[in-house]
Amino acid sequence: MTGLASALRTLAVVAPLLGASLFGAAPPAAAAPEPKAPREFVALSSVDRTVLQEMRYATPHNFVGEPVDGYRQPLCLLTRPAAEALHRAQVRLLARGYTLKVYDCYRPQRAVDHFVRWAKDLEDERMKGEFYPLVDKSRLFADGYIAEKSGHSRGSTLDVTIVRLPAASTRAYVPGEELVECYAPQEERFPDNSVDMGTGYDCFDTLSHTDDPRIQGAQRANRQLLKDALAEQGFVNLPEEWWHFTCKPEPFPGTFFDFPVERRAVAGH
């Protein structure tokens, strides 16, 4: 019986292995391939290296207070028509002693989803003091500041400002630092080398409306300079945000992409 018991023990060990060999063990689930950008997308720097880039959502200095999902590199990606139109606007502004600076370009859907999750978390108000001091967070959807889809995800929309040359250097935001309202006088709010537009970027306030009548003098002239320079090249401004422009016609008017913001997403194009 000892031999039989030994044989049974051996069979108990070998049988599962034999079964796996005969019938095939399920392989580990492979990770889904990362989506890539269509060939119509380019890195802005491959079309124009002179446009400044301060990609806020790749940093903690934004209304969420942390780097946003999908922004793996601080990089402006756009459809080629939008990048080329921006280049033409840049050439004209350089001749007048200014440069464009982009804050955001293509935005993956996963980043928009991050915004939506954040907006539903009413306890997280770490950046309220700068970006939405007068808006109750529970109103962000109803007031149109946050939505479940964004034109940025189609690749022809960007957030942009103007900087007078020579461009002054800017300092990095330090998480936890004291916040100043985005509509405060320029010398008081977070330092930005942009010309004075009356509010900072991503200011959730009606003062950000491009033609708000309270914005006058040099601030209004600066907004008009930006609007005119881009309109000449086919960009349409969103009236609620002085910084938001879409190049028309769009190559992908009904598609919301989700490839990450990184150089390899457009590599080999």
Side-chain angles (χ1 to χ4, degrees), residues 121-140:
D121 179 5
L122 301 184
E123 300 299 317
D124 183 356
E125 294 191 326
R126 75 187 96 164
M127 302 302 287
K128 180 178 176 63
E130 179 174 351
F131 292 97
Y132 53 107
L134 297 180
V135 181
D136 190 292
K137 193 175 181 183
S138 65
R139 296 283 309 170
L140 292 181

Side-chain angles (χ1 to χ4, degrees), residues 43-216:
L44 174 61
S45 60
S46 70
V47 176
D48 192 311
R49 292 185 177 276
T50 66
V51 175
L52 302 180
Q53 299 189 29
E54 186 180 323
M55 309 305 291
R56 287 284 185 88
Y57 298 140
T59 79
H61 189 211
N62 57 65
F63 58 85
V64 174
E66 62 187 10
V68 177
D69 290 354
Y71 288 86
R72 296 181 182 172
Q73 292 178 314
L75 185 68
C76 173
L77 304 181
L78 289 169
T79 60
R80 182 172 290 279
E84 292 177 346
L86 196 68
H87 166 67
R88 294 193 296 271
Q90 172 75 339
V91 169
R92 290 175 177 263
L93 285 168
L94 287 173
R96 300 179 63 176
Y98 296 94
T99 180
L100 292 166
K101 179 174 79 169
V102 290
Y103 294 111
D104 191 36
C105 298
Y106 159 73
R107 180 184 305 166
Q109 181 61 46
R110 69 190 75 181
V112 180
D113 295 342
H114 190 166
F115 293 165
V116 170
R117 291 194 306 274
W118 166 83
K120 291 178 179 178
D121 179 5
L122 301 184
E123 300 299 317
D124 183 356
E125 294 191 326
R126 75 187 96 164
M127 302 302 287
K128 180 178 176 63
E130 179 174 351
F131 292 97
Y132 53 107
L134 297 180
V135 181
D136 190 292
K137 193 175 181 183
S138 65
R139 296 283 309 170
L140 292 181
F141 286 103
D143 291 350
Y145 293 112
I146 300 292
E148 295 185 352
K149 296 289 183 182
S150 169
H152 283 271
S153 301
R154 301 194 296 261
S156 296
T157 294
L158 63 152
D159 296 338
V160 61
T161 190
I162 289 175
V163 175
R164 188 182 296 277
L165 293 171
S169 60
T170 58
R171 70 169 178 85
Y173 164 77
V174 179
E177 71 175 79
E178 184 177 356
L179 302 178
V180 177
E181 297 91 341
C182 53
Y183 50 72
Q186 186 181 38
E187 62 272 15
E188 297 178 17
R189 60 182 182 258
F190 186 85
D192 186 333
N193 56 8
S194 169
V195 298
D196 189 1
M197 294 290 190
T199 76
Y201 168 59
D202 256 357
C203 188
F204 294 3
D205 193 276
T206 54
L207 279 172
S208 294
H209 293 188
T210 307
D211 293 323
D212 189 288
R214 293 168 293 176
I215 301 297
Q216 295 294 326

Side-chain angles (χ1 to χ4, degrees), residues 216-231:
Q216 295 294 326
Q219 296 172 341
R220 191 171 191 84
N222 289 335
R223 291 188 183 190
Q224 197 62 47
L225 175 61
L226 176 62
K227 186 177 179 180
D228 290 347
L230 294 182

Side-chain angles (χ1 to χ4, degrees), residues 8-24:
L8 289 175
R9 284 196 300 271
T10 301
L11 182 61
V13 172
V14 172
L17 301 176
L18 183 61
S21 175
L22 291 175
F23 301 107

